[in-house]
Amino acid sequence: MFSLINPDGSVRDRLPLTLDEMKALYADMVEARTYDDKSMAMQRQGRLATYAPFRGQEAAQIGAAAALAEDDWVAATYRDAALNWRAGYPWELLILGRTGDERGGQVPEGVNILPPSITVGGHMIHAVGLSWAEKLSGSDRIALTSFGDGATSEGDFHEAMNFASVYRTPTVFLCQNNGYAISYPTSEQTRSDTIAVKADAYGMPGIRVDGNDVVAVLVAVREAVSLARAGDGPSLIEAVTYRMGPHTTADDPDRYRDGSDVTVWAERDPLERVRLLLERQGAWDEDWQTELESEASETIEAAVAWAESVPPPTFAEMLNRVYAQPSPALREHLETGEPSQM
Amino acid sequence: MFSLINPDGSVRDRLPLTLDEMKALYADMVEARTYDDKSMAMQRQGRLATYAPFRGQEAAQIGAAAALAEDDWVAATYRDAALNWRAGYPWELLILGRTGDERGGQVPEGVNILPPSITVGGHMIHAVGLSWAEKLSGSDRIALTSFGDGATSEGDFHEAMNFASVYRTPTVFLCQNNGYAISYPTSEQTRSDTIAVKADAYGMPGIRVDGNDVVAVLVAVREAVSLARAGDGPSLIEAVTYRMGPHTTADDPDRYRDGSDVTVWAERDPLERVRLLLERQGAWDEDWQTELESEASETIEAAVAWAESVPPPTFAEMLNRVYAQPSPALREHLETGEPSQM
Amino acid sequence: MPEVNLAQAINGALDTALRNDPRVVLLGEDIGRAGGVFRITDGLRASHGPDRVFDTPVAESGIVGAAFGMAVAGMHPIAELQFLGFSYPAYDQIINHVARIRNRTNHRFSAPMVIRIPYGGGIGAAEHHSESTEAIYAHIPGIKVVVPSTPADARGLLLAAVEDPDPVIFLEPIRLYRAIREDVPEAVDRVEIGPVRVERSGDDITLISWGAMMKETRAAAGALAEDGYSVEVIDVRTLAPLDRDGIVASVEKTGRAVIIHEAPLTGGFGGEIAATITERALYSLLAPIKRVTGWDTVFPLKRSEAHYLPSVDRIVSAAHETLEV
Amino acid sequence: MPEVNLAQAINGALDTALRNDPRVVLLGEDIGRAGGVFRITDGLRASHGPDRVFDTPVAESGIVGAAFGMAVAGMHPIAELQFLGFSYPAYDQIINHVARIRNRTNHRFSAPMVIRIPYGGGIGAAEHHSESTEAIYAHIPGIKVVVPSTPADARGLLLAAVEDPDPVIFLEPIRLYRAIREDVPEAVDRVEIGPVRVERSGDDITLISWGAMMKETRAAAGALAEDGYSVEVIDVRTLAPLDRDGIVASVEKTGRAVIIHEAPLTGGFGGEIAATITERALYSLLAPIKRVTGWDTVFPLKRSEAHYLPSVDRIVSAAHETLEV
Ligand SMILES: Cc1ncc(C[n+]2csc(CCOP(=O)(O)OP(=O)(O)O)c2C)c(N)n1
Ligand SMILES: Cc1ncc(C[n+]2csc(CCOP(=O)(O)OP(=O)(O)O)c2C)c(N)n1
Ligand SMILES: [Mg+2]
Ligand SMILES: [Mg+2]
């Protein structure tokens, strides 16, 4: 497994990043974790619909997104808020989406990120199509798709991997193997030793990387992105990580796992090892941490405030977004339908 | 690639079969080819619906079926008439099916063969379910599923392979890689070097075998069957062969292949090499050949005669086979519907 | 099993089926250790063992296809798909294989299996979690489609489905899982798949619905009764096979009908019912049939959900328009 | 393009689309070198190159999903699925993704793409090759469903579909591919997606159909005219969005309607049309609406096909029953 930073903050190899870049990655992870914590709390207060926390997976997501160019395509999942945000999806729209508002999917022009996929497996092939189109039009834009270990069981994973390799599309497949598909452990989902090895079935490079090591992920995804951009086709990256929280706020992990793994993985926390690394280099102190956290908090609070200030969609808005022009039936609904009492 | 008999009839290794067994395999292949030729002719006369010939694939099919026990399950395709027949599916029902009659799927009790699958890819998982049920009930019956190279592109292939390995079901996956999915060559369908290697993605044994060598196929499938029966789970066998004829009687291969490959593969004919082998051992002569052919012809003619003597399904029969008991709508159709003029 | 809700009634029926018939097995995503995302299979793996209750990979086509193979081999599998919106990857297996094996083998093989699927909106769920696409199943010959709306029907219809010689799609109304409690004696064994249930008798108008919308339909019937109307309420319960006689008999009596469903209007199963009434009871009709349905849009997210779901008010006012003709 | 059949008209429209718009690409199984199993894409790879016309692996979900991604990125892909019976593996992509991207991004992204699918029976084909399950698509918000029955409509509607900002399912009636020839000037550019086409005007009865069944419907209209009736024939052409006004206007005039489709009765799209008429033109109806449809069974194999397909006789006698009320 490819890894560069040990859990204690020591490094295995020279890191290809400046100290400032390391600090920026750390700051991003802190901001992401703040968002995650805040979202869990808001959901408990009934201010968000079900929420899928990514605690423990910050390195995989921030590291991957940091390897992308601004206008690359991203097709990721309900758990990938950190990845999407770092790739350009504004927090406020992610939050708006989680309040249960379709307008959360309306990213600004120039941001090429699909709304988080709720179906497991269906979105990987979209990244193939997106990047295929870019290849055909001669642009050097690529697409990254992020998905879980569970998604690799879907037939759509197979078709996406196959199309990407057959047409050599500039696609990066990032699997965050976080140990579970809801309650079903990765070890039972498949009999292959790793997920990375599945790339062989498509003649595609596959690599396994420590998903809690933000630099290792960044380096691996950067390599895959370069291959793709250079016309050398798709790759699969398995980022081995762990979902520290429940599957979603509706889930109770005690039904299917005892706490022992959680304890083990807590020692491998993706933020802590970078903090230690920075501390070793004299680039971290409590003040900076406090500053980071309070800035992040303010940012997220502001995003929440904005999202919560958006008036709910009207009846007409609900019906006007199905087609470019509403169908005759929708026009009738608009005329005769009684808007309900919210 | 595992192979035992060379195209010139010489052998690479001691064959694990008696001369009588070899002769029986040869006779079966002759009978199958007779059926295939006859079916092509009948289709041209308008007596069959579209027909998918298996010429060139007799060894793969007869070899595989010869490795099965009488009551094992088989889930195969529209091109697998030889396999199905050797496994117990009566010629006359195969022919009845090809005239366009659902009763062709009504195999006798004791024959555990599903009707030939027309959808590409959908039937592999059925073999997984069938054999899973046998495993759960403690029987030692296994299931073999046969499919083409093209079918390995379907998501259902992936799900079937994964379920089989996850639950260690006694399933044998036989892929007849005959070079094409209709017009699309295997070399373009995937970037993996072989189809056998795809087994790695499931932690399953995968083997590549000369599909025109009936003994090699028999040995490979026998091995997979033993593993399955012993509780050691599923295997994938890629039988490398070539479709000598058109995809179906509706196809024109000249649109997508020049004759050169056909010439090459004609030299690797699966019947001829066994004939040469037998001849080398003094176990083949013209008389026997003539006898085999005329017996086969009679058998097939009789089967055809039977199938053609079956009166067409009545209107009521058509409606009475949808459910165990017809629904109220079907009962109304039965009362009020006017049987059409045939 | 006195006083259970719909979720508990289904759990109990599954337990009974597993106990009574060794051919019954359960398979689906998270149904084992976790007891299902709605806890419908809670405790069943513990009490019946991991060889009767299987957690599966996230692969709906695989789940249905494997269950199909098991059924052909003589078992009676009960598969769970996590939400109706995630049943579409299995649609090919259902329509092309599950529904057809009897027909294509002239009864030699069959697939006695149940596919349980939670469906419908009203809980502010994420995308794809609120679907009500029963019409795409009810159109397919070879399967049956059952939608209970009460605990007793849930138990009785599920036990009937398990014993049915043909495959049954069993749709479970999510927002009724824990909404109603009722006394369901264990002795209530089977409810016949097919006949509608006349839930309330009346002479002025027939309200026709099924599954989750029965809640609003009942409330609307209550409101109309308070306005002095005599309301008949039909719970269709089985969309396929459809009990046309049961529906037509009611409308012949009342002369007025409102059909209520959650799915979008166009192509919803209400069209079939309205067409049936027109074909068979045209001369009894005192007013045009009305359909109160979801709008022709994707089921919306939480903040718009109340705009979408047919409300008691919409049903009542449609009924009034019908009654005032 | 004078005097072409429906297959040639589609081929010509694809050629025009490829020529006029660099964003158009074609993808599907065997559409390139082989020119498609029905030869609809014959010659297009040769004339437009392998970077415009792609043969694909046998993977319908992949084809539609990849085309969807291309469309979101700004192309106008035209995917071919080989038969409607093989579209089900792609159903999830169509319903959960293709149909929804505009809605879930509030117009930020859209999927301007066409999915061409040959459909229908009548050629004695193998299992799954004769499906007519248009109803399962017409029910889905976010897509359009078009079914031409003449060469001119095929060309015009296909060109409109390619330019449509929303995804269009384009169903091609197999048994009409080479059945009718007509003059289709290249100048016939677009036929609006939506409005029905009144193919024949009359006052006594309206026959309503689409796609492949238009052939029998036309013949029935001819027969009824010989019997002295004045028959109106409506080719619905677009199932979604449905031109309710066009249909209702006709029935308001004639007072009688027979709806003809090949799909099984129950849950077929005829139900929607009958329901619409009853809701909006009840008081114009002089007789119950009739539906002449396939039976509630799996489309049968060759030897039973004539039992299944609605015949001219069945249409004529249903019309007579309607007329004699
Ligand atoms: C097609 C489909 N089937 C089932 C579900 C229900 N479901 C939601 S998340 C999930 C598990 C996914 O696991 P994984 O891919 O490992 O992602 P993770 O949640 O661990 O990030 C399931 C089964 C779904 N959303 N889509
Ligand atoms: C799901 C599905 N998609 C498409 C088809 C149309 N089709 C019939 S055979 C075939 C090619 C199959 O190739 P392969 O699996 O290699 O089998 P072969 O015909 O070569 O034996 C295709 C695409 C089908 N029958 N089913
Ligand atoms: Mg996971
Ligand atoms: Mg092949």
Side-chain angles (χ1 to χ4, degrees):
Chain A
M1 186 155 66
F2 175 59
S3 137
L4 291 167
I5 311 177
N6 296 314
D8 65 2
S10 62
V11 297
R12 302 199 180 192
D13 206 340
R14 248 181 70 85
L15 301 187
L17 294 182
T18 65
L19 198 58
D20 278 351
E21 285 170 328
M22 283 303 306
K23 289 181 72 176
L25 286 176
Y26 182 68
D28 287 346
M29 290 197 289
V30 169
E31 184 163 335
R33 183 162 289 182
T34 306
Y35 167 85
D36 199 49
D37 288 345
K38 182 88 191 157
S39 296
M40 287 298 280
M42 283 178 68
Q43 200 283 337
R44 300 237 152 87
Q45 295 155 8
R47 290 154 73 192
L48 292 185
T50 326
Y51 178 74
F54 53 74
R55 175 175 280 258
Q57 302 179 220
E58 293 88 348
Q61 298 194 17
I62 297 291
L68 299 175
E70 214 179 331
D71 60 353
D72 284 335
W73 287 101
V74 174
T77 79
Y78 50 84
R79 200 182 302 292
D80 285 324
L83 192 162
N84 277 336
W85 163 68
R86 181 59 183 74
Y89 206 123
W91 284 133
E92 56 268 29
L93 289 183
L94 287 164
I95 297 167
L96 186 63
R98 297 316 309 145
T99 65
D101 192 320
E102 285 78 0
R103 292 166 300 181
Q106 191 178 4
V107 290
E109 285 295 329
V111 173
N112 291 324
I113 309 182
L114 300 189
S117 178
I118 302 294
T119 70
V120 168
H123 67 292
M124 299 176 261
I125 186 76
H126 306 162
V128 177
L130 290 162
S131 55
W132 192 0
E134 298 297 347
K135 175 180 169 172
L136 290 174
S137 72
S139 116
D140 72 348
R141 227 174 265 159
I142 64 108
L144 176 138
T145 178
S146 167
F147 50 91
D149 44 286
T152 66
S153 300
E154 289 278 6
D156 272 359
F157 166 74
H158 178 67
E159 298 190 15
M161 292 286 287
N162 194 44
F163 269 62
S165 62
V166 161
Y167 299 106
R168 293 183 80 72
T169 60
T171 320
V172 177
F173 290 87
L174 173 71
C175 178
Q176 290 173 60
N177 175 355
N178 65 359
Y180 289 89
I182 309 187
S183 67
Y184 196 52
T186 311
S187 57
E188 295 186 27
Q189 292 166 30
T190 173
R191 297 271 176 184
S192 67
D193 287 335
T194 67
I195 285 172
V197 75
K198 292 179 189 291
D200 294 358
Y202 313 95
M204 195 192 282
I207 183 181
R208 195 162 210 243
V209 51
D210 180 347
N212 283 20
D213 175 343
V214 68
V215 182
V217 173
L218 172 58
V219 168
V221 177
R222 219 176 237 171
E223 173 65 21
V225 168
S226 314
L227 282 178
R229 240 189 269 289
D232 292 326
S235 325
L236 171 65
I237 295 153
E238 174 186 5
V240 180
T241 179
Y242 194 80
R243 193 193 76 212
M244 297 298 288
H247 170 68
T248 66
T249 44
D251 179 44
D252 171 12
D254 289 343
R255 289 180 160 257
Y256 53 83
R257 69 184 186 192
D258 59 30
S260 60
D261 273 1
V262 179
T263 320
V264 172
W265 282 89
E267 319 254 288
R268 303 180 188 155
D269 185 68
L271 276 70
E272 180 62 8
R273 72 177 70 180
V274 180
R275 193 193 65 73
L276 288 166
L277 179 151
L278 292 173
E279 194 175 20
R280 278 167 190 255
Q281 315 213 8
W284 179 91
D285 60 26
E286 290 281 358
D287 285 353
W288 187 51
Q289 182 72 24
T290 312
E291 191 187 316
L292 283 182
E293 285 176 10
S294 72
E295 274 176 17
S297 238
E298 269 172 48
T299 305
I300 304 298
E301 300 279 352
V304 167
W306 180 86
E308 294 192 333
S309 76
V310 174
T314 63
F315 180 71
E317 279 170 324
M318 177 179 79
L319 300 184
N320 274 326
R321 64 187 181 223
V322 195
Y323 295 97
Q325 300 297 331
S327 63
L330 286 164
R331 284 200 302 273
E332 282 186 22
H333 296 342
L334 284 163
E335 276 166 33
T336 64
E338 313 148 314
S340 53
Q341 318 77 329
M342 288 297 283
Chain B
M1 187 155 65
F2 176 59
S3 134
L4 290 168
I5 311 178
N6 296 316
D8 65 2
S10 61
V11 298
R12 303 201 178 189
D13 206 341
R14 245 180 72 85
L15 301 187
L17 294 181
T18 66
L19 198 59
D20 277 352
E21 286 170 328
M22 286 301 308
K23 289 181 71 176
L25 286 175
Y26 182 69
D28 287 345
M29 291 197 288
V30 169
E31 183 163 337
R33 184 162 290 183
T34 307
Y35 167 85
D36 199 50
D37 289 346
K38 182 87 192 158
S39 296
M40 288 297 281
M42 282 177 69
Q43 200 284 338
R44 300 238 153 86
Q45 294 154 11
R47 291 154 72 194
L48 292 186
T50 327
Y51 178 74
F54 53 74
R55 174 175 281 260
Q57 302 179 219
E58 293 88 349
Q61 298 195 17
I62 297 292
L68 299 176
E70 215 179 330
D71 60 352
D72 283 336
W73 287 99
V74 174
T77 80
Y78 51 83
R79 199 180 305 289
D80 286 324
L83 192 162
N84 278 335
W85 162 69
R86 182 59 182 74
Y89 206 123
W91 284 133
E92 55 268 31
L93 290 183
L94 287 163
I95 297 166
L96 186 62
R98 297 315 311 145
T99 64
D101 192 319
E102 285 78 359
R103 291 167 299 182
Q106 190 177 6
V107 291
E109 285 295 327
V111 172
N112 291 324
I113 310 181
L114 300 189
S117 177
I118 303 294
T119 70
V120 169
H123 67 293
M124 299 176 262
I125 186 75
H126 306 162
V128 178
L130 290 162
S131 55
W132 191 1
E134 298 297 348
K135 177 181 169 173
L136 289 174
S137 71
S139 115
D140 73 346
R141 228 174 263 157
I142 64 109
L144 177 138
T145 178
S146 168
F147 51 91
D149 45 286
T152 67
S153 300
E154 289 278 6
D156 273 358
F157 166 73
H158 178 65
E159 299 192 12
M161 293 285 286
N162 194 43
F163 270 62
S165 62
V166 162
Y167 299 106
R168 293 183 79 73
T169 61
T171 320
V172 177
F173 290 86
L174 173 71
C175 177
Q176 290 172 62
N177 176 354
N178 66 358
Y180 289 89
I182 308 187
S183 67
Y184 196 52
T186 311
S187 57
E188 296 185 27
Q189 292 167 27
T190 174
R191 296 271 175 184
S192 68
D193 287 336
T194 67
I195 285 172
V197 75
K198 293 180 190 288
D200 294 357
Y202 313 96
M204 194 192 284
I207 185 181
R208 195 162 212 242
V209 53
D210 180 347
N212 283 18
D213 175 344
V214 68
V215 182
V217 173
L218 171 59
V219 168
V221 177
R222 219 176 238 174
E223 173 65 20
V225 168
S226 315
L227 281 179
R229 240 189 268 289
D232 292 327
S235 324
L236 171 66
I237 295 153
E238 174 185 3
V240 180
T241 179
Y242 194 81
R243 193 193 75 212
M244 298 298 287
H247 170 69
T248 66
T249 44
D251 179 45
D252 171 11
D254 290 344
R255 289 179 160 258
Y256 54 83
R257 69 185 188 192
D258 60 29
S260 60
D261 273 0
V262 180
T263 321
V264 172
W265 281 88
E267 318 254 288
R268 303 179 188 154
D269 185 68
L271 276 70
E272 180 61 6
R273 71 177 73 180
V274 181
R275 192 192 65 73
L276 288 168
L277 179 150
L278 292 173
E279 194 173 22
R280 277 166 191 257
Q281 314 213 8
W284 179 91
D285 62 26
E286 290 281 358
D287 285 353
W288 186 52
Q289 181 74 24
T290 312
E291 191 187 315
L292 283 182
E293 285 174 10
S294 71
E295 274 177 16
S297 238
E298 269 171 48
T299 305
I300 305 297
E301 299 279 355
V304 167
W306 180 85
E308 294 191 333
S309 77
V310 174
T314 63
F315 180 70
E317 279 170 322
M318 176 179 79
L319 299 184
N320 275 326
R321 64 188 181 223
V322 195
Y323 295 98
Q325 299 297 331
S327 63
L330 286 165
R331 284 200 303 271
E332 282 186 22
H333 296 343
L334 283 162
E335 276 166 33
T336 64
E338 312 149 314
S340 53
Q341 318 78 330
M342 287 297 283
Chain C
M1 228 194 286
E3 283 284 309
V4 293
N5 63 29
L6 204 136
Q8 292 164 322
I10 295 172
N11 180 278
L14 293 171
D15 186 55
T16 302
L18 282 162
R19 226 172 328 108
N20 291 352
D21 188 343
R23 294 170 305 177
V24 171
V25 292
L26 270 52
L27 66 169
E29 296 159 13
D30 307 295
I31 67 163
R33 275 166 289 223
V37 290
F38 289 108
R39 310 285 173 246
I40 304 301
T41 53
D42 197 20
L44 297 177
R45 180 167 159 128
S47 43
H48 298 280
D51 270 359
R52 306 288 303 282
V53 180
F54 294 95
D55 279 320
T56 66
V58 187
E60 291 73 17
S61 184
I63 293 168
V64 170
F68 169 76
M70 290 172 135
V72 170
M75 305 198 77
H76 283 203
I78 307 178
E80 172 180 309
L81 300 179
Q82 219 158 57
F83 286 86
L84 190 54
F86 306 137
S87 72
Y88 312 138
Y91 194 61
D92 177 57
Q93 283 292 335
I94 295 172
I95 184 168
N96 272 343
H97 300 288
V98 172
R100 298 190 178 195
I101 187 70
R102 182 183 292 282
N103 184 71
R104 67 204 291 260
T105 65
N106 199 27
H107 299 277
R108 168 68 176 86
F109 295 115
S110 59
M113 61 189 277
V114 180
I115 306 177
R116 294 180 37 243
I117 325 181
Y119 91 97
I123 59 162
E127 271 182 281
H128 313 288
H129 287 71
S130 305
E131 303 280 293
S132 189
T133 38
E134 62 272 16
I136 65 165
Y137 289 106
H139 183 40
I140 305 308
I143 53 177
K144 302 184 177 180
V145 181
V146 168
V147 200
S149 81
T150 68
D153 272 1
R155 177 177 173 81
L157 286 165
L158 183 50
L159 288 174
V162 175
E163 287 166 25
D164 202 280
D166 287 305
V168 179
I169 309 277
F170 191 83
L171 298 175
E172 304 175 358
I174 295 170
R175 71 172 181 279
L176 299 190
Y177 268 148
R178 292 171 172 88
I180 331 160
R181 303 180 69 80
E182 107 185 318
D183 198 65
V184 180
E186 256 193 76
V188 169
D189 235 29
R190 297 155 120 277
V191 170
E192 194 189 339
I193 293 178
V196 301
R197 186 167 52 82
V198 179
E199 171 162 319
R200 174 180 184 136
S201 280
D203 296 314
D204 296 337
I205 188 167
T206 305
L207 305 186
I208 303 166
S209 192
W210 56 86
M213 285 308 302
M214 283 305 295
K215 187 166 173 226
E216 289 74 12
T217 301
R218 285 171 193 137
L224 290 163
E226 279 181 23
D227 293 346
Y229 292 109
S230 167
V231 183
E232 181 138 318
V233 174
I234 288 190
D235 181 352
V236 180
R237 295 196 299 193
T238 300
L239 302 185
L242 180 63
D243 178 7
R244 290 187 165 83
D245 290 346
I247 292 167
V248 168
S250 173
V251 181
E252 277 174 346
K253 178 174 68 169
T254 62
R256 294 177 161 94
V258 177
I259 302 161
I260 301 104
H261 62 66
E262 193 169 317
L265 173 78
T266 303
F269 200 69
E272 180 59 42
I273 294 176
T276 295
I277 297 171
T278 324
E279 283 159 358
R280 302 179 187 213
L282 182 68
Y283 303 115
S284 308
L285 279 180
L286 303 169
I289 300 165
K290 291 242 171 218
R291 288 183 284 169
V292 177
T293 70
W295 315 108
D296 279 10
T297 183
V298 178
F299 193 101
L301 297 181
K302 194 175 180 192
R303 297 187 94 196
S304 309
E305 199 164 11
H307 289 321
Y308 180 87
L309 279 174
S311 60
V312 176
D313 281 359
R314 280 185 60 209
I315 303 170
V316 170
S317 57
H320 272 295
E321 284 175 49
T322 307
L323 286 158
E324 279 145 29
V325 167
Chain D
M1 228 191 287
E3 281 284 310
V4 294
N5 63 29
L6 204 136
Q8 292 164 324
I10 295 172
N11 181 277
L14 293 171
D15 186 56
T16 302
L18 282 162
R19 228 176 322 110
N20 291 352
D21 189 342
R23 294 170 306 176
V24 171
V25 293
L26 269 52
L27 66 170
E29 295 158 14
D30 307 294
I31 67 164
R33 275 167 289 223
V37 290
F38 289 107
R39 310 288 171 245
I40 304 300
T41 54
D42 197 20
L44 298 177
R45 180 168 161 127
S47 42
H48 299 279
D51 270 358
R52 305 289 302 283
V53 181
F54 294 94
D55 279 320
T56 66
V58 187
E60 291 75 15
S61 183
I63 294 168
V64 170
F68 170 77
M70 290 172 134
V72 170
M75 307 199 74
H76 283 203
I78 307 177
E80 173 179 307
L81 299 179
Q82 220 159 55
F83 286 87
L84 190 53
F86 305 137
S87 71
Y88 312 139
Y91 194 61
D92 177 57
Q93 283 291 337
I94 295 171
I95 183 169
N96 272 343
H97 299 289
V98 172
R100 297 188 181 195
I101 188 70
R102 183 184 292 283
N103 183 72
R104 65 203 294 259
T105 65
N106 199 28
H107 300 278
R108 168 68 176 85
F109 295 117
S110 59
M113 60 189 278
V114 180
I115 306 177
R116 295 180 38 245
I117 324 180
Y119 90 98
I123 60 163
E127 271 181 282
H128 314 286
H129 287 72
S130 305
E131 303 279 293
S132 188
T133 37
E134 61 273 15
I136 66 163
Y137 289 107
H139 183 39
I140 305 307
I143 53 177
K144 301 183 177 181
V145 181
V146 167
V147 199
S149 81
T150 68
D153 272 0
R155 177 177 174 80
L157 287 165
L158 183 51
L159 288 173
V162 174
E163 287 166 26
D164 201 279
D166 288 304
V168 178
I169 308 277
F170 192 83
L171 298 175
E172 303 175 359
I174 294 170
R175 72 173 181 278
L176 300 190
Y177 268 148
R178 293 175 170 85
I180 329 159
R181 303 181 69 82
E182 113 187 313
D183 198 65
V184 180
E186 255 192 81
V188 169
D189 235 25
R190 298 155 119 276
V191 170
E192 194 190 339
I193 293 178
V196 301
R197 187 167 52 82
V198 179
E199 172 161 319
R200 175 180 185 134
S201 282
D203 297 314
D204 296 337
I205 187 168
T206 307
L207 304 185
I208 303 165
S209 192
W210 55 87
M213 285 308 304
M214 283 303 297
K215 185 163 174 229
E216 288 74 12
T217 301
R218 285 170 193 136
L224 290 164
E226 280 182 22
D227 292 345
Y229 293 109
S230 166
V231 183
E232 182 138 318
V233 174
I234 289 191
D235 181 353
V236 180
R237 294 198 296 194
T238 301
L239 302 185
L242 179 62
D243 179 7
R244 290 186 165 83
D245 291 346
I247 292 167
V248 167
S250 173
V251 181
E252 278 174 346
K253 178 174 67 171
T254 61
R256 293 177 162 93
V258 177
I259 303 160
I260 301 102
H261 63 67
E262 193 170 316
L265 173 78
T266 303
F269 201 70
E272 181 59 43
I273 294 175
T276 295
I277 297 170
T278 323
E279 283 158 357
R280 304 180 185 214
L282 181 69
Y283 303 114
S284 309
L285 279 181
L286 302 170
I289 299 165
K290 291 241 170 217
R291 288 183 284 169
V292 177
T293 70
W295 315 108
D296 279 10
T297 183
V298 177
F299 194 101
L301 296 180
K302 193 175 180 190
R303 297 186 94 196
S304 309
E305 199 163 10
H307 289 320
Y308 180 88
L309 278 176
S311 61
V312 176
D313 280 358
R314 280 184 61 210
I315 304 169
V316 170
S317 55
H320 273 294
E321 285 174 47
T322 306
L323 285 158
E324 280 146 26
V325 167

